[in-house]
Amino acid sequence: MSDSNKLLEKVQGKLKASSKNTRTAAGPTGSEQAAPPDREQVVNAINQMFAEFELVYHNQYLKAFPSREKLQYAKKLWFSHLCEYRPEQILMAAKRAVRDSEFLPTVRRILQYCDPSPEELGLPDARSAYLEACRAPNPKADYAWSHPAVYHAGRESDWFFLASSPEHAAFPAFKRNYELLCERVRRGEQLEPPIAKALPEEIGTPLSREQQREKLRELRRDLDV
């Protein structure tokens, strides 16, 4: 095993030990939290990414990491930033960087590539989401939302507040809630769609005038009036 792998696994062990001693707050209800990524798989993904960068950006790579010590430190630094991402996200980010850039990417650029765009997740932009939330008819749970995040952002912002407040007051509040929900979605959380109320098994029909008169006559006979 290479020295860089040993160093990364040492960092990995420290992160595991610290995570056992840290209390994690309960996640929000009504959603499915994504499982944390496997640390060893993250290490392997980072090693694979660096190997690919060495082939694609050979001269730049050797200039950026001229010694084993610098390469070890770089992998340690990148692991500290990427340890919460799934391995497939990291590898996809590396491929996007190779496709889009002629220059060796920084860890900051890889972090940007790791987060899928809102469009890739089916999330409308904040302005479109706000208009959708304001225009959706009642009952809200029955509406065909473009994404559950729009519904939850509207509910968190308060439907009455959105309907009765001017845009300059309502939109910032909605946008803040919506962006927080979008971040949760980008991190892999599955938001539950709104649950529409079930229809009654039997739907009554109004009585005709003659049926109403008959019901009234029966009531009078029962009351003897």
Side-chain angles (χ1 to χ4, degrees), residues 38-103:
D38 183 86
R39 305 295 184 178
E40 184 176 354
Q41 292 180 5
V42 173
V43 171
N44 292 335
I46 291 175
N47 284 332
Q48 184 176 336
M49 176 174 59
F50 270 75
E52 186 171 347
F53 288 167
E54 183 178 10
L55 292 174
V56 177
Y57 305 102
H58 185 68
N59 292 334
Q60 298 176 41
Y61 184 92
L62 294 179
K63 186 176 181 180
F65 314 117
S67 65
R68 177 174 294 183
E69 290 74 19
K70 284 198 171 183
L71 179 60
Q72 290 174 348
Y73 180 78
K75 287 187 176 183
K76 175 182 176 182
L77 175 65
W78 286 49
F79 178 84
S80 69
H81 287 289
L82 296 170
C83 61
E84 298 301 324
Y85 288 93
R86 300 189 304 276
E88 57 268 23
Q89 286 179 281
I90 297 172
L91 295 177
M92 183 59 66
K95 293 184 182 300
R96 292 175 66 181
V98 169
R99 184 181 66 241
D100 295 347
S101 177
E102 298 180 5
F103 302 100

Side-chain angles (χ1 to χ4, degrees), residues 85 89 93 96 109-118 120-121 183 186-187:
Y85 288 93
Q89 286 179 281
R96 292 175 66 181
R109 174 61 67 180
I110 293 299
L111 286 169
Q112 293 174 347
Y113 281 131
C114 279
D115 289 327
S117 66
E120 292 174 321
L121 296 172
E183 179 62 25
R186 280 194 292 267
R187 291 294 182 179

